Amino acid sequence: MRTIWVYSNIALWTLIFGLGSYFTILLTGKKKYFRFFANIWGKTLSLIFNINLVIEGEENLEKNKNYIFAANHSSFIDIPLLCVACKRYLVFVAKSELKKIPIFKSILDRAGFVFVDRKNNDNAVNSMNILINDISREPRSVGIFPEGTRSRDGVLKKFKKGAAVMAINTRIPVIPVFISGSYEWSQKSFFDLTRSTIKFQFSEPIDSKNFSYEQRQSFTDLIRSKVEGMKK
């Protein structure tokens, strides 16, 4: 019952604010306006789901500077809350399955997201190159969940190399992010009305200019170690 309630709200408010951003960007030609709607989206869901958002490490983020935010992932709520927590124009590397939903594909395309087919490496590389080229024309931050999918038990999984490769190719610094409380929130019962606390911890940035493509695995390992090191 709770799952139906949660996903119904997510679908409704995602559609409402997604359409708002779609038509705003369509009329202005500026993708950066997605930030405004994404921020309201995240705050609205926080209010509906009675979530207390806690942010640590904001001092590690330079104002008006773009980053690749590499975070652990346990629940869909991680996405709208990261939009609020990072306080900048942020898009995500989305799974290709979302392209099957026409309206959401149009919204995410217009906002500057990229779809990646995790089962097709050539397609994934091509999609990432498209995003990299688009970033050069209209700068933005990018959110990536290096585990590749949500953790079903809250345990940190092995990281894929996508975040490191994108950082090396764009020279955008990486901010490792540890999200806590998200998994616990996703496991609550329908009748549990207590307030949930979800915390976002931002590590110091990792300078991608210090790594070459051949060092992508060591870069990935460093990102994961930074995320794991923030667990308390």
Side-chain angles (χ1 to χ4, degrees):
M1 186 180 294
R2 182 178 185 273
T3 300
I4 295 173
W5 176 72
V6 166
Y7 279 97
S8 296
N9 271 285
I10 287 173
L12 173 64
W13 295 106
T14 300
L15 181 61
I16 290 173
F17 294 120
L19 288 174
S21 71
Y22 177 85
F23 287 111
T24 300
I25 296 169
L26 182 65
L27 292 171
T28 64
K30 296 181 179 180
K31 296 178 181 179
K32 66 180 182 180
Y33 287 118
F34 174 75
R35 174 185 174 181
F36 171 78
F37 291 95
N39 188 55
I40 301 176
W41 177 48
K43 288 182 176 180
T44 298
L45 291 177
S46 294
L47 181 64
I48 291 171
F49 297 140
N50 197 21
I51 294 171
N52 174 39
L53 175 61
V54 176
I55 305 169
E56 294 183 357
E58 283 186 276
E59 67 278 5
N60 294 322
L61 309 180
E62 285 187 38
K63 190 176 181 180
N64 299 322
K65 185 168 185 176
N66 288 310
Y67 298 99
I68 292 174
F69 292 90
N72 61 304
H73 188 32
S74 298
S75 168
F76 179 87
I77 202 66
D78 298 335
I79 298 171
L81 293 189
L82 183 55
C83 289
V84 176
C86 76
K87 298 178 180 177
R88 60 203 68 217
Y89 171 28
L90 176 76
V91 300
F92 289 87
V93 175
K95 58 185 180 180
S96 60
E97 289 84 349
L98 290 175
K99 294 173 68 174
K100 298 176 182 178
I101 310 174
I103 186 62
F104 286 112
K105 178 183 183 302
S106 298
I107 290 170
L108 298 181
D109 272 338
R110 184 70 61 180
F113 284 55
V114 65
F115 298 96
V116 173
D117 185 350
R118 293 170 292 182
K119 299 177 182 178
N120 187 325
N121 189 61
D122 290 339
N123 178 276
V125 171
N126 182 58
S127 296
M128 295 292 270
N129 287 335
I130 292 172
L131 178 58
I132 290 168
N133 291 331
D134 201 30
I135 287 174
S136 67
R137 292 191 296 270
E138 190 165 359
R140 75 207 66 166
S141 292
V142 180
I144 298 181
F145 300 114
E147 292 166 286
T149 188
R150 282 177 286 175
S151 172
R152 301 298 179 181
D153 55 8
V155 176
L156 191 65
K157 308 297 184 184
K158 181 180 178 180
F159 277 18
K160 298 181 184 299
K161 297 186 282 289
V165 171
M166 172 171 281
I168 291 168
N169 288 337
T170 60
R171 294 310 191 198
I172 298 175
V174 175
I175 298 286
V177 184
F178 180 66
I179 305 172
S180 57
S182 174
Y183 175 75
E184 289 76 12
W185 172 82
S186 70
Q187 300 301 304
K188 290 178 68 173
S189 70
F190 182 74
F191 299 102
D192 185 348
L193 302 179
T194 58
R195 196 170 197 199
S196 298
T197 294
I198 297 180
K199 182 190 295 184
F200 282 71
Q201 296 171 258
F202 296 115
S203 176
E204 293 181 352
I206 303 174
D207 191 347
S208 57
K209 295 177 182 177
N210 295 330
F211 295 87
S212 66
Y213 183 76
E214 289 69 28
Q215 295 173 303
R216 60 193 183 282
Q217 184 59 60
S218 60
F219 194 179
T220 299
D221 293 340
L222 177 60
I223 295 169
R224 189 184 186 282
S225 69
K226 292 284 187 180
V227 172
E228 190 169 37
M230 288 183 279
K231 294 173 62 176
K232 294 180 181 178

